[in-house]
Amino acid sequence: MQQMELNNDYYVYVQNVINNFFELYKKRFGRKKPIFVCIGSPRVPGDAVGPYVGSVLAELDPSLEIYGTIKFPVMATNVNNFAKKLWIKNFFNKPIIAIDACVGPSAPGTIWCRDSAGVKPGEACGKELEFVGNTAIVVNTTNRPEDLAIVDNFRITRISSIIAKSIYDNLCNL
C-alpha cells in the first residue's frame, strides 16, 4: 500500500488546493458561511477524514454549522435520512460543503475539490447512498477498498488537521 508523504510540500499542496476551492466558492456563494457535512466512520481509519475534519473545525470555531464529528458521525447508517432533511431544508439558503474520504487510483493524500457538485458517499464500496452537498472536498486515502481499515490513523488525523486548518483560514477571509 502506497503511503502519504506528510512534509512541508504536502502542507503547501493542501493550502493551495483549499485556497483555490474557496476562490471558486466565493464566486458562486459570495461570503455566505457554509454548512459542513463531514462524512465517514471514525472507527475505520481510511474513512475517518470527514469526522476528524469536522471535529477540528468545531474546535476552531464552535459557531460553525457542522454535521459529522468523531463524537457524532454522519456515516452509511444515517447519511440517507440526514442528507434528505438537510438538502430540502437548506439547499437554496446556504452552501453545503461535503467532506469525505474516497478510494481511488490516484496517490493517497490527493485532494479533489468540487465547486459545483457534492459527493455520493460509499460509491467505491458499492453502497447506494444519497448525494450530499452542493460543493465538496474529497481526499483519496487508499487505492483499494479492502485497505480502508489498515490506513495509518496517525497520518489521517494529521491530514485532516491540515485540511481543517486550511478551511478555517479561508473562512476567516469570507
Side-chain angles (χ1 to χ4, degrees):
M1 183 171 64
Q2 191 177 9
Q3 289 291 324
M4 298 169 235
E5 188 63 39
L6 298 182
N7 55 32
N8 193 48
D9 290 340
Y10 186 76
Y11 180 80
V12 170
Y13 161 73
V14 172
Q15 284 279 59
N16 287 335
V17 170
I18 301 298
N19 291 348
N20 290 339
F21 170 77
F22 273 96
E23 285 304 313
L24 296 170
Y25 174 96
K26 285 188 248 183
K27 288 179 183 173
R28 183 171 176 203
F29 298 109
R31 299 201 174 278
K32 286 185 182 179
K33 293 283 186 189
I35 296 169
F36 290 95
V37 181
C38 303
I39 304 160
S41 172
R43 295 183 302 264
V44 180
D47 192 36
V49 170
Y52 282 125
V53 169
S55 293
V56 173
L57 281 173
E59 213 172 273
L60 291 169
D61 186 348
S63 72
L64 293 173
E65 192 170 351
I66 300 168
Y67 301 94
T69 62
I70 298 295
K71 195 171 182 179
F72 301 106
V74 173
M75 52 190 177
T77 56
N78 65 356
V79 73
N80 282 351
N81 286 336
F82 178 80
K84 286 176 187 173
K85 289 175 190 170
L86 184 66
W87 193 259
I88 290 166
K89 180 180 171 187
N90 292 303
F91 179 70
F92 294 107
N93 298 321
K94 278 191 164 182
I96 301 168
I97 299 176
I99 299 173
D100 198 7
C102 75
V103 174
S106 61
T110 303
I111 300 172
W112 293 279
C113 295
R114 299 175 176 172
D115 64 316
S116 60
V119 296
K120 190 158 171 66
E123 200 167 27
C125 298
K127 295 179 181 172
E128 285 295 323
L129 302 173
E130 290 291 322
F131 208 81
V132 179
N134 45 25
T135 62
I137 298 170
V138 182
V139 182
N140 188 50
T141 57
T142 184
N143 302 113
R144 303 177 325 164
E146 59 269 22
D147 289 342
L148 284 169
I150 60 170
V151 171
D152 182 349
N153 197 47
F154 177 73
R155 288 180 187 275
I156 293 300
T157 58
R158 294 252 333 265
I159 286 170
S160 301
S161 180
I162 294 167
I163 292 168
K165 288 175 183 168
S166 296
I167 290 170
Y168 177 74
D169 290 345
N170 277 278
L171 290 174
C172 290
N173 295 321
L174 281 183

